[in-house]
Amino acid sequence: MSEKSISMCEGKGSLSHNNREFTAKNIDSSRTPNNIVFVQQELGEAYHQLFDEAVEKYNARQKRKDRRIGDYFEHLFNRPPGKSFIVNANKQKCFYEHLVYIGTKKDSGIGTPDAEITKECLREYMEGFQERNPNFYVFNAVMHLDESTPHLHIDYIPVGHFKNGLEVRNAKNKALEEMNFGKDAKANNRWRLSEWDILKNICNAHGIEISEPKKSRGYSYTVEEYGEHQDRINALNAEIERLTAERDETVAEFEKLSKKKVNITEIESIEAKESMFGKKVTLTKEDYDKLSDTAKKYVAMEKNIKKLKKERDAAVQELGDMKQQFSAVSSELSAYKKKEEDKRFFSREKMNAEGQRMKREEQLSRDLQKAMAFISACGLADDFARYKFNKTRNTELE
């Protein structure tokens, strides 16, 4: 079995995509029944379960009505919960998605001998996720087996506890701190590496050898940059997948709307009567509502499709740029390693040469001491001193 890689990144999940409420082009619908659903709870219901009790206690302490919180989700995001990701003005996310792959479609894709083993590894990893991460409440989790490679979408709400104000909140940094990953900027990376080690051990137990991730330990900053580029490329691939899914979802929604009674063909059948006031026409209230509603939906749909296409093109462009940087960093890393090896080699040669020189100097010193002792024993020390003085003086005069 060949060595495989583990890919873990933060997805920007679409719950309707994860739960297969529509079929995208990269999905084999005949295999959709094989998908494994671990948890499937409405986002709004999860928020009520997690935060309603704390909100009630908080409101009971407030004497002013304007300080009380109604629905906690709407309090944070100014809209009801839906099927997609929401980020508020403070960059707070309504939930997070943990996207996990083992290997690639070449070595672990559906139909390959290793696909079944990687599926079991992912299942075992998922079944222990909630227990390992008590502050990450998993409300939706599914393993997709109807795409090219088995993979997990784990959607969770981070839960933090506080002494003042609202006692229980959506707070990822606090959740990481409570799970002993620290409270600095690297807490999330420590958590991710911990999860990486968990999955690696599971894979090893199933006979799958996992290649080490690129990281900075033992190397220079160039290698750290190398690893960061790899993580960024994985994230961009996930982003492209998300944008593609959202585009397909929008197209599917548009097709669904086109099949309803309120559609373009129905608009064409609306009868417009000339008004007695010049060139204006009159419509029935029902026909006007149909026309207005469909026009608004069509305009919104067109804008959304253009936006998604633009975002997808930008992500593809960024991925191409990052791959070029990744290639450059990889070449730089190889050159750096060769330079380090050469440096160590030349250092050994230099040390050997220096050792030989010191040996020669020690031997000359011993020979000089013997010569001085012989001169002194022969009573020639004074003559030698005068000789040295005259020799030095003659050299200076010359």
Side-chain angles (χ1 to χ4, degrees), residues 12-14 16-18 20 22-27 147 153 238-252 308 312:
K12 294 186 177 179
S14 166
S16 53
H17 165 75
N18 296 351
R20 294 299 187 248
F22 70 95
T23 302
K25 292 181 180 179
N26 63 324
I27 295 169
E147 296 180 52
H153 290 269
E239 179 72 359
I240 288 173
E241 180 187 347
R242 180 188 72 84
L243 290 171
T244 302
E246 285 192 7
R247 181 202 62 194
D248 293 341
E249 181 180 4
T250 303
V251 171
L308 290 171
R312 182 180 182 278

Side-chain angles (χ1 to χ4, degrees), residues 272-283:
K273 299 177 182 179
E274 287 190 7
S275 170
M276 59 186 293
F277 303 104
K279 297 182 179 180
K280 296 181 179 179
V281 297
T282 60
L283 301 173

Side-chain angles (χ1 to χ4, degrees), residues 119-239:
K119 183 185 84 171
E120 290 307 311
C121 292
L122 289 171
R123 183 204 293 271
E124 188 175 333
Y125 171 80
M126 176 60 222
E127 288 174 347
F129 185 88
Q130 185 66 89
E131 185 178 355
R132 288 192 307 274
N133 302 284
N135 290 72
F136 289 169
Y137 178 78
V138 179
F139 70 95
N140 205 93
V142 61
M143 187 193 302
H144 284 162
L145 301 172
D146 55 0
E147 296 180 52
S148 59
T149 308
H151 59 278
L152 283 171
H153 290 269
I154 306 173
D155 299 297
Y156 63 88
I157 302 165
V159 180
H161 300 84
F162 298 82
K163 293 181 180 179
N164 301 318
L166 190 63
E167 294 177 356
V168 185
R169 307 176 203 171
N170 171 342
K172 188 171 184 182
N173 290 341
K174 188 66 174 177
L176 287 166
E177 180 186 348
E178 290 178 19
M179 293 191 297
N180 299 316
F181 291 103
K183 54 183 179 180
D184 59 357
K186 295 183 179 180
N188 190 68
N189 190 53
R190 283 193 287 270
W191 170 76
R192 185 175 63 86
L193 290 174
S194 173
E195 288 296 303
W196 190 94
D197 284 334
I198 294 291
L199 185 52
K200 176 189 176 183
N201 292 336
I202 291 172
C203 290
N204 289 342
H206 285 267
I208 298 177
E209 186 177 355
I210 299 298
S211 59
E212 289 295 321
K214 302 295 183 294
K215 51 189 177 182
S216 62
R217 187 182 301 165
Y219 295 96
S220 70
Y221 183 74
T222 303
V223 184
E224 182 179 346
E225 197 173 44
Y226 179 89
E228 287 175 354
H229 281 322
Q230 180 64 67
D231 288 345
R232 181 64 178 147
I233 286 171
N234 290 339
L236 284 168
N237 280 322
E239 179 72 359

Side-chain angles (χ1 to χ4, degrees), residues 95-119:
F95 66 89
Y96 293 78
E97 181 169 277
H98 187 48
L99 188 60
V100 186
Y101 287 83
I102 299 173
T104 64
K105 63 182 179 181
K106 293 181 180 179
D107 58 29
S108 303
I110 300 296
T112 64
D114 294 350
E116 194 65 26
I117 302 176
T118 56
K119 183 185 84 171

